[in-house]
Amino acid sequence: MRRTISRRALPAAVLAVGLVLAPAVATAAPEERPQVTIIATGGTIAGKAQGRETYTSYRAGTYPMSDMLAQIQPEVGAFADVDVVQFGNAGSGGYTIEQYRELTLAVEDALEESDAVVVTTGTDTMEEFAYWLDLTVQNRRPVILTGAMRPWAAGETAGEAGVLGADGPANLLQAVRLGASGKTFCFGTVLMLGDEIHAARDVTKGNTTRNDTFVTRQLGVLGWIDGADVHVQRAPARVLDCAEEEWFTPFDLSEVAAGSLPRTEIVYNYQQAGGEAITAFAEAGVTGIVTAGTGAGGISSAPSQARRAAIAEGVWFASASRTGSGTVSGGGTGMIAAGDLLPQKARLLLLLSRAFTQDIEQARQWFATLGTPSFDQSALAAVVSPTPGAVPAPEPTPTDPAPEPGVTVEPTAPATEPPAGEEPPAGEAPGGGEPGGEEAPDAEPTEAAAGGAGGTPGGPGAGGWLPALGAPVQGALTVAALALLAGGTLYAYRRRAFTVALGD
């Protein structure tokens, strides 16, 4: 009687191999894109113009961000997954300090899940939006401010009658690109307009209508974006503390009750200025005033007298300059030097200082550090060689503490091996190890024993070695394994059949 192997064995074996290897191929998911949240507040970028060629006659804050985002798809979706929070839709100057607080909390909430946040707003006070967020957001992930100098469109929707030469679409696209790149991690908040990246603390609006309105006087840009390439050439000094808790500012707005932020104002000095503005502010309950003085912060006689009277009532003053650049130093009773902060930036830091401390010395310290950060590498001179090829100093060898007087220390006998040819004593492992047949107490499996970093036998990751090889290699290995198994099974089948036939 002829006996043969069932032909069902071949497809069953092939199916078994497929079931074993298929999960490895299935784990090759498409490359994940960074998650970027756009928090929209309105401004010119969302403006509706009176005509396609009209750049200065428009209504700001008209189009919703969801409609505007749709106009830069699918391009933006190629490098980021983007979601939208419509925080508001108004001109930048229409927001209150209380709404600033809410914006900070909204940014922090978005950063719990997103890799970066882009905030769109009007350019008139964008530098103040940016510096406020720079001082208050308690998260190291990138925050980017952007907007536009020209309105988005002239139609009923953002997709109709686009303004000729509108800069909003490109600015929005590139701001998301910058956030997705992660290159400003630990920079705090930055401002990006016209492909230029600026530090929130230093940037200011330098022109009323030009597209390249934002400038960073004396210091220049942090970097720029050329097409799809993000270039960062310098950084704010706070990046030195990126790995430290000192990176975070003390201004955690989740600890401040809504509506409790104090009022601070700015007084501009000029030839023969009066002091009535200072007096009126103090009587209105203002707790802090920034003087935008001439030159290095000087103010005229009448404002100076009014300032002394206000200080006596508990008002703090920060001295800044109206020149636009340069440092104001010194100070006195009730006064804080604002360094090189612009008056509008100094006002925000003074407001937060008044909200978080009643100690003016603490406020002075914040102005000198948070308000005027700088690079200082002098401490490294004592530990880092200034020349190439230097060998680092060896780490000191820990030594046993010296015995107390009158205490005799017994010498410790070194571990000995049994003489050659002799077995170790029963129940004892050679070399002082654990007794034979017993496990070390509280033994923990090593990472290698557990199967690598992923804790799965067979290699790194949760799926063994195969997922780590990539989808193309996994597929090739699967096909090859199937072919080998099929060939082996067919060979075994034919040989078995031939052997049985001979036996007949």
Side-chain angles (χ1 to χ4, degrees):
M1 178 178 179
R2 182 181 297 272
R3 291 178 297 161
T4 61
I5 299 175
S6 172
R7 295 182 181 272
R8 296 178 181 178
L10 179 60
V14 172
L15 177 60
V17 174
L19 291 174
V20 171
L21 295 181
V25 178
T27 57
E31 182 180 356
E32 292 187 4
R33 294 180 294 270
Q35 180 70 36
V36 178
T37 297
I38 299 175
I39 299 181
T41 72
T44 299
I45 191 171
K48 178 183 178 181
Q50 293 184 357
R52 295 185 64 200
E53 79 291 356
T54 303
Y55 303 138
T56 57
S57 297
Y58 58 90
R59 186 176 69 250
T62 300
Y63 302 119
M65 177 53 65
S66 57
D67 290 352
M68 296 156 62
L69 179 62
Q71 306 312 307
I72 60 172
Q73 293 285 13
E75 290 79 6
V76 72
F79 55 81
D81 291 328
V82 184
D83 64 298
V84 172
V85 174
Q86 191 73 49
F87 181 85
N89 214 353
S92 60
Y95 285 89
T96 65
I97 293 298
E98 176 53 35
Q99 288 173 315
Y100 268 28
R101 173 186 173 276
E102 294 173 3
L103 179 61
T104 293
L105 299 179
V107 170
E108 291 176 343
D109 183 63
L111 288 176
E112 290 182 5
E113 300 292 337
S114 294
D115 299 295
V117 162
V118 171
V119 178
T120 60
T121 188
T123 59
D124 282 354
T125 59
M126 184 182 290
E127 63 192 88
E128 293 171 66
F129 271 82
Y131 192 50
W132 174 269
L133 295 175
D134 191 51
L135 289 172
T136 59
V137 171
Q138 305 296 305
N139 197 302
R140 295 182 176 96
R141 288 174 174 164
V143 179
I144 297 99
L145 269 288
T146 196
M149 290 298 291
R150 294 175 176 175
W152 188 280
E156 292 303 313
T157 68
E160 301 175 21
V163 167
L164 302 175
D167 55 333
N171 286 337
L172 185 60
L173 178 78
Q174 297 295 63
V176 173
R177 189 189 304 279
L178 176 59
S181 76
K183 290 192 175 183
T184 60
F185 187 85
C186 274
F187 278 40
T189 301
V190 301
L191 185 152
M192 198 294 301
L193 208 80
D195 291 335
E196 292 186 341
I197 308 164
H198 297 265
R201 177 195 176 276
D202 306 321
V203 69
T204 190
K205 187 170 183 177
N207 191 279
T208 57
T209 57
R210 300 288 184 268
N211 282 11
D212 58 348
T213 180
F214 285 104
V215 295
T216 297
R217 298 187 178 113
Q218 294 188 322
L219 299 175
V221 300
L222 299 176
W224 54 89
I225 307 175
D226 289 336
D229 299 322
V230 178
H231 303 276
V232 178
Q233 301 297 332
R234 69 178 188 90
R238 71 184 300 192
V239 298
L240 294 177
D241 294 324
C242 183
E244 309 295 334
E245 285 299 300
E246 286 75 11
W247 185 89
F248 298 99
T249 74
F251 308 130
D252 185 352
L253 294 181
S254 65
E255 300 177 355
V256 176
S260 65
L261 290 170
R263 183 179 170 190
T264 54
E265 298 291 344
I266 301 173
V267 171
Y268 196 88
N269 190 64
Y270 44 87
Q271 196 71 26
Q272 199 178 350
E276 292 83 358
I278 291 177
T279 301
F281 281 144
E283 292 176 350
V286 171
T287 62
I289 297 175
V290 175
T291 54
T294 52
I299 61 175
S300 302
S301 176
S304 180
Q305 293 177 21
R307 179 172 63 183
R308 284 194 296 271
I311 289 173
E313 297 298 323
V315 180
W316 291 359
F317 282 79
S319 298
S321 174
R322 73 179 196 180
T323 61
S325 63
T327 300
V328 174
S329 57
T333 302
M335 293 188 289
I336 304 169
D340 64 345
L341 281 175
L342 296 173
Q344 59 269 33
K345 308 282 184 73
R347 176 203 170 223
L348 296 177
L349 182 53
L350 182 61
L351 186 157
L352 291 167
S353 297
R354 292 252 54 178
F356 281 84
T357 186
Q358 298 301 314
D359 183 2
I360 194 170
E361 288 303 323
Q362 176 64 78
R364 288 192 180 107
Q365 180 66 18
W366 287 338
F367 267 82
T369 54
L370 301 175
T372 315
S374 63
F375 288 92
D376 184 357
Q377 302 291 83
S378 59
L380 294 178
V383 294
V384 177
S385 172
T387 58
V391 178
E395 293 289 334
T397 303
T399 58
D400 293 331
E404 295 183 9
V407 177
T408 303
V409 180
E410 294 292 335
T412 302
T416 58
E417 295 289 337
E422 293 186 17
E423 295 292 333
E428 182 176 321
E434 293 295 321
E438 294 185 17
E439 294 182 358
D442 300 327
E444 293 291 340
T446 63
E447 185 176 69
T456 302
W465 287 107
L466 282 172
L469 296 175
V473 178
Q474 293 171 17
L477 288 176
T478 302
V479 173
L482 291 173
L484 286 173
L485 187 60
T489 304
L490 183 61
Y491 171 74
Y493 157 70
R494 288 181 175 177
R495 181 172 179 175
R496 178 70 175 173
F498 178 71
T499 301
V500 173
L502 287 178
D504 290 343

